[in-house]
Amino acid sequence: MKKLLLLACLALPCAAHAQTINFTTEDYAPFNYREGKEIKGATVEQVEKVMAAIGVDYAIEVLPWARAFGLARTAPMTCVFATAHNSARDPLFKWIEPLLIDRNILITRKGSGVTAGNLDEAKKYTIGTQREDYTETILKEKGFTKLDVASDFNATLRKLLSGRIDMMPISELYFDKLKADQPVEMVTVLSAQPMGIACEKSFPDDLRAKMQAALDQLIADGDQKEIFLKYGMNLPD
């Protein structure tokens, strides 16, 4: 009997661990970022509220995007956010969305002399982006060949501001905040897409459904919009 009780006790932590969801994300303020030891941001708060609503244990880790994305492709009970949902990525994950619906635009440094009325005109310039970021795929699909690929968003932004690249793609929502602090300006629109939580293919369907229902309620209650306002971003109606 004692042996059976011991086995049962040992099994409990394993069962609890199996229900822990591991979230990966990147350093891309104000959506998801580190501030000291704290992980913050407009999408982070949505994930936290979703998980609080369903009462499941979770952890969030900030990593370079390629690693964050790769873990969600291969590691069970792992999800990456905020991930652009497009046709190429659709079969790779199970999805909970939208954390936001966003347009991506190409921006340049003020005074750079870079101009482009459309994407064809933009192709003559060097465009910076991040490794394994969806914008890298979009740029290649649209015929951009002069690409400079960095490890993360902040590295790309530093290159833009120092004149090492001509343009970079950025969330239009984030651009509205960034231009108040940095000498940048919009050039042209690159794409539009929903951004969501992308979970490894074996992720339990019941958990996915609960998370989606919690996110739907967050949106319906107006909490999602309030979170974005808190971070200085105004979602379109």
Side-chain angles (χ1 to χ4, degrees), residues 3-17:
K3 185 175 181 180
L4 289 174
L5 287 172
L6 177 60
L7 288 173
C9 290
L10 289 172
L12 285 174
C14 295
H17 179 72

Side-chain angles (χ1 to χ4, degrees), residues 4 6 29 39 53 68 82 93 99 101 130 137 145 155 200 208-209 218:
L4 289 174
L6 177 60
I39 299 175
F93 300 101
L99 294 175
I101 298 192
Q130 297 74 251
T137 301
T145 57
E200 194 268 338
R208 192 213 67 81
L218 189 77

